[in-house]
Amino acid sequence: MTVTAAGPLPAVPYDVTVVGAGVVGCAIAREIARHPHLKVALAEAQDDVGQGTSKANTAILHTGFDAHPGTLESRLVREGGRLLAAYAAESGIPVEPVGALLVAWDREQLAALPDLARKAVRNDCHDTALLDATELYAREPHLGPGALGALHVPGESIVCPWSTTLAYATQAVRGGVDLHLNTRVTGADRHDGVHTLTTSRGPLHTRHLVNAAGLHADTLDRLLGRRTFTVTPRRGQLIVYDRLARDLVRHILLPVPTALGKGVLVAPTVYGNVLLGPTAEDLDDKAATESTAQGLAALRDKGRRILPALLDEEVTAVYAGLRAATEHDDYRIAAHPDRAYVTVGGIRSTGLTASLAIASHVTGLLRASGLGLADPVDLEPVRMPNLGAAFPRPWQEGGHVLVCHCEHVTLGEIRDALAGTVPPRSLAGLRRRTRAGAGRCQGFHCGATVRQLFERAGRP
C-alpha cells in the first residue's frame, strides 16, 4: 500500500495514471485496481483526496429523474445511483432515503410538474407522484405559505460524500494503486507510447492516461492537444444550520429546476444538520471558494420563503464549492485511442451519484483503447466509520472517551482515522473523516485536543 506526499515519483512507467483524486477519479482508480496485473497511479494536486467539488456539494444521491433523457449523464446517474446505494450499504456509508419534493410556488411552476413527472418516466423513474397543496403541507407542515403543489420523488436520498470518496481511495490503495498527493500536473508530452507528465514532484511516466482533473480537466486536455470544452467554475454557496433545526424538514425540498441547475434547496444531511443552498455563480477563478455577504443574504431570502422557521435557527457553518460547468449539457467523457488517453470532464454535481458507473464506463473505454484488461477480481471490502446521525455511533456504546462533544466523536474514532490507509494530512482532513470540530462550536472546545492528537500522530 503506497501513499506519498513528497519526494520524487517512480521512474518506471505506470500502465495507467488517473489525474485527479476527487470522487470520480478515486472511483476510476478503484475500478482499475480490480485488474491486479496493472501498475496504476492516482495523482492529486492537493494534500488529500476529495479536496475539490467532492468535499463541498449538497450530498444528494440522485435518481436522475430530471436529467436530460438520452444523454450519457442520465444513463450514468441512473446506473450509478443504484450502484452507490448498494456499495454504501456494503461499506457502511450513511444513506437516508428521505425523498424529495419539487415545490411549485406559482402557476407556471405548477403547470411544469406534469412534464417533469413524464421526464422522470423517460429516465426510468416510475414512482413519482403529483401532490396538491393539502397533501404537500401534510408532508411538510413547516413549509412557507403559498405553495401550490409538488412533485414527490421518493427515491432521492442523502449520503455522506466524504466517506464515499475515502472508501474508493482506500480500496484503490489496498488494491495496489499508488496514490501520489501534492502532485500537480503542469505539463504533458508523449513519446514512444509513453506519456510524461511534468508535475510539482518531478516527471511521472505512464502508458495510458485518464484525465479526471475536475475543474482543471480542460487545462489538462489542452496540454494534451485537445480543445473540446471549457470549464467555467460555478460557485455554490451553502449555509449549514444546527442539528436543532432537523425536525423542521422531512424531505429534500427542491425548486422547479432552471438552466443554471437545480436551484436553491433545503435539505437534511446525514450528519443531522440542515442545508440551505446552493447559489449558482459562474466565475473565472477556479479557486474562488470563499463565501460572500451578498450570496449568503440571497440564500436567506430564498430560505425565508421555503422554510421560514429555519431562519430563526443557529447557523453552524457556511461553505462554498465549485462545480465544473461547461458549455455542453452533457458529460465530456471521450476516449482518444491514438493517444492512449481518456478525458473525463464536465462532471458537475451529479458526479457523486454517477461515480461508480462513470468508473465502469471509463474502464470500458480504456479496454477499447488497447489497455489489456483481464477478468476483474473482487476487491477486499471496506467498512467505513459511520458519520451519520441516524445510525449507531461508538459513543452510544459507552466506555468511550469523547473528544468532540458537539458531534459525539470519540478518541478511538480519531485514532483510527489517523492510522487509516489514506490518513489525513491536515486538521480539515481529519474533520472530514470524523466530524471532529464540525459541530456548533466549530472546534472551540475540542480544537486544542484534536490538534494535539494530530501532531502526536506525526502529521505535518
Side-chain angles (χ1 to χ4, degrees), residues 139-165:
R139 291 174 181 269
E140 289 290 350
H142 297 286
L143 197 65
L148 303 180
L151 178 68
H152 182 216
V153 188
E156 297 281 294
S157 303
I158 52 177
V159 64
C160 176
W162 305 331
S163 297
T164 303
T165 306

Side-chain angles (χ1 to χ4, degrees), residues 447-458:
T449 302
V450 171
R451 176 176 287 278
Q452 186 178 53
L453 291 168
F454 181 77
E455 292 174 350
R456 281 181 180 173

Side-chain angles (χ1 to χ4, degrees), residues 14-17 187-197 205-211 219-228 334-343 365-366 368-371:
Y14 286 95
D15 294 308
V16 189
T17 294
D189 192 16
R190 187 168 184 260
H191 185 69
D192 290 338
V194 175
H195 294 277
T196 297
L197 302 179
H205 309 286
T206 186
R207 294 184 179 87
H208 289 261
L209 181 62
V210 178
N211 172 8
T219 302
L220 181 53
D221 225 33
R222 285 167 171 75
L223 291 175
L224 291 157
R226 302 284 172 176
R227 188 178 292 270
T228 57
H336 312 290
D338 58 319
R339 303 283 294 176
Y341 168 57
V342 176
T343 302
L365 293 176
L366 287 169
S369 298
L371 179 65

Side-chain angles (χ1 to χ4, degrees), residues 274-288:
V274 177
L275 285 182
L276 171 62
T279 58
E281 310 157 57
D282 285 349
L283 308 173
D284 296 323
D285 185 356
K286 293 183 178 182

Side-chain angles (χ1 to χ4, degrees), residues 378-389:
D378 291 332
L379 297 175
E380 179 184 347
V382 295
R383 192 72 185 172
M384 303 308 294
N386 168 55
L387 302 182

